[in-house]
Amino acid sequence: MTYKVAVVGATGNVGREMLAVLDQRAFPAHEVVALASTSSIGSEVSFGERNLKVKALDYFDFSDTDIVLMSAGSAVAKTWAPKIAAQGAIVIDNSSAWRMDRDVPLVVPEVNADALRGIKKGIVANPNCSTIQLVVVLKPLNDAAKIKRVVVSTYQSVSGAGKDAMDELFRQTRAVFVADPVEVEHFTKQIAYNVIPHIDDFLDSGLTKEEWKMMVETQKILDPDIQLTATCVRVPVFVGHSEAVTVEFEQPLTAERARQILRAAPGVLVVDKREDGGYVTPIECVGEDATFVSRIRKDPTVEHGLSLWIVADNLRKGAALNAVQIAECLINRKLLKRAAA
Ligand SMILES: NC(=O)c1ccc[n+]([C@@H]2O[C@H](COP(=O)([O-])OP(=O)(O)OC[C@H]3O[C@@H](n4cnc5c(N)ncnc54)[C@H](OP(=O)(O)O)[C@@H]3O)[C@@H](O)[C@H]2O)c1
């Protein structure tokens, strides 16, 4: 059985990675279509050895498409996901538009694939990139010792803000280097040689929306009782999000036991040598599928606490890979509305 797959946002950071992941995993597709805005009509994107001509989302007929991987922002997802689902395809959306809808499963396959049983609107949501890598690691620890509270600080790469943000880091870095004036367009302050404690809009509570998303998405995916507070920071790294995480448990859990549990956990790779260089940094996770965990150690300030360092490729596990894994789950569990060819 093979399927017709459309990638919406195929010219973007996540869309291009989706095409790469579909090819690398030999996804059972008899046809893959690349869609973007009307301004990209006729441009080409790579799909394995081939180039695909980009078509416009606005004029595309989805009536014989099985799976739509969407990464074109919230506004596009709000309008288009229901229209596409009404034509019979299942939409896996990367934006925040549908994540907290009660009738839309929010899924990380290693953590809560069973939530796919409840697809009511024909839409499945891919969580925020920082949430995905966090819950992949928290899930097996929660199963072992029940998590009470999580404190997380993120170090998020500019690719999480799209291709224009990557260009801005590149331009600013070059401008500083050659002593040209630094122009700020995409971010609120200079990102080159700097860090910015602000991702997404500010809420009345003082949290940013990115921090709020990490809290509510973790509760929806993993456990509504988990208390989580986050500080989300943009750093001048092109690809790869890092997180410094402190977890308080209800039951005892030693660092050694956590290391054993995480070594056996799906999608997790432990690199924790407690010596110079014996940990993972974002540069080493680029292009990798795993979520890496390092620096696992006791938090001596609470009775049952651990601190850890978590790193993943935000374009892969944080977005494209997770979306393709959801599509694979839909196929394996025979949850697609129709199956072509
Ligand atoms: N980057 C990450 O780590 C990450 C992780 C998780 C989720 N996400 C989410 O994924 C989405 C895309 O992120 P990105 O980083 O790939 O952004 P990006 O690099 O800026 O790409 C945006 C894509 O959306 C397309 N698009 C924009 N407006 C459109 C329209 N009206 N109709 C059709 N296509 C349209 C663009 O096409 P044109 O080139 O034609 O404009 C482009 O292909 C966002 O919702 C983001 O929040 C990103």
Side-chain angles (χ1 to χ4, degrees):
M1 191 86 83
T2 58
Y3 304 87
K4 181 168 174 180
V5 179
V7 175
V8 177
T11 54
N13 273 345
V14 175
R16 285 173 192 270
E17 199 66 38
M18 282 172 165
L19 291 167
V21 173
L22 287 169
D23 175 62
Q24 288 156 5
R25 293 172 77 89
F27 191 87
H30 60 264
E31 188 177 350
V32 175
V33 186
L35 302 173
S37 75
T38 47
S39 60
S40 293
I41 293 177
S43 62
E44 294 191 342
V45 286
S46 304
F47 176 55
E49 305 275 282
R50 291 190 288 139
N51 282 340
L52 302 179
K53 274 238 182 317
V54 178
K55 297 178 182 171
L57 167 66
D58 290 3
Y59 309 125
F60 194 71
D61 174 4
F62 287 91
S63 54
D64 63 348
T65 303
D66 303 289
I67 301 166
V68 176
L69 303 176
M70 184 174 264
S71 68
S74 289
V76 173
K78 266 189 197 134
T79 312
W80 279 93
K83 285 194 205 171
I84 296 170
Q87 290 187 63
I90 292 220
V91 178
I92 301 168
D93 178 46
N94 258 277
S95 79
S96 58
W98 296 96
R99 289 180 192 152
M100 296 314 294
D101 187 304
R102 290 160 66 104
D103 293 332
V104 173
L106 181 65
V107 175
V108 177
E110 295 90 336
V111 179
N112 66 335
D114 286 349
L116 290 171
R117 286 202 206 108
I119 304 176
K120 296 192 179 133
K121 293 185 167 164
I123 304 168
V124 180
N126 212 47
N128 177 266
C129 38
S130 300
T131 309
I132 293 177
Q133 67 184 69
L134 180 68
V135 295
V136 165
V137 174
L138 292 186
K139 156 83 172 140
L141 302 179
N142 190 47
D143 289 346
K146 185 106 173 87
I147 294 171
K148 264 164 82 170
R149 178 169 179 260
V150 180
V151 180
V152 53
S153 299
T154 69
Y155 304 70
Q156 296 180 224
S157 68
V158 294
S159 58
K163 55 188 185 231
D164 294 345
M166 293 178 86
D167 292 344
E168 181 149 314
L169 173 60
F170 183 78
R171 273 197 311 274
Q172 288 183 355
T173 306
R174 190 174 50 190
V176 171
F177 195 65
V178 300
D180 275 350
V182 170
E183 285 173 18
V184 172
E185 285 171 23
H186 188 93
F187 295 106
T188 49
K189 300 204 180 206
Q190 176 180 321
I191 184 66
Y193 303 97
N194 200 10
V195 297
I196 305 175
H198 167 199
I199 300 178
D200 210 330
D201 298 334
F202 274 94
L203 305 175
D204 289 344
S205 60
L207 293 175
T208 63
K209 201 166 169 206
E210 186 82 354
E211 292 157 354
W212 175 82
K213 284 185 271 187
M214 287 195 77
M215 177 178 77
V216 294
E217 291 180 19
T218 299
Q219 289 169 339
K220 179 168 175 177
I221 297 165
L222 197 53
D223 185 341
D225 292 336
I226 291 177
Q227 298 293 303
L228 184 145
T229 181
T231 304
C232 293
V233 181
R234 190 71 72 191
V235 297
V237 166
F238 280 103
V239 177
H241 286 0
S242 308
E243 296 174 344
V245 184
T246 292
V247 190
E248 186 180 354
F249 299 94
E250 285 187 3
Q251 286 123 39
L253 184 65
T254 65
E256 191 41 51
R257 181 75 191 118
R259 209 171 282 117
Q260 284 168 358
I261 290 167
L262 291 172
R263 279 204 187 103
V268 177
L269 212 58
V270 176
V271 179
D272 192 16
K273 291 203 180 136
R274 296 188 170 183
E275 63 188 32
D276 292 356
Y279 42 80
V280 170
T281 60
I283 278 182
E284 298 148 82
C285 80
V286 176
E288 299 290 334
D289 288 350
T291 297
F292 294 88
V293 188
S294 306
R295 306 284 330 276
I296 304 166
R297 62 204 189 274
K298 181 175 170 54
D299 166 12
T301 65
V302 291
E303 198 181 355
H304 307 306
L306 292 175
S307 293
L308 353 128
W309 175 248
I310 302 173
V311 185
D313 182 328
N314 54 295
L315 298 178
R316 281 183 85 87
K317 187 56 190 166
L321 173 65
N322 197 69
V324 173
Q325 287 173 319
I326 291 172
E328 290 169 348
C329 277
L330 293 173
I331 292 171
N332 294 339
R333 292 169 177 238
K334 303 192 180 356
L335 291 170
L336 288 174
K337 288 189 197 166
R338 61 162 170 260

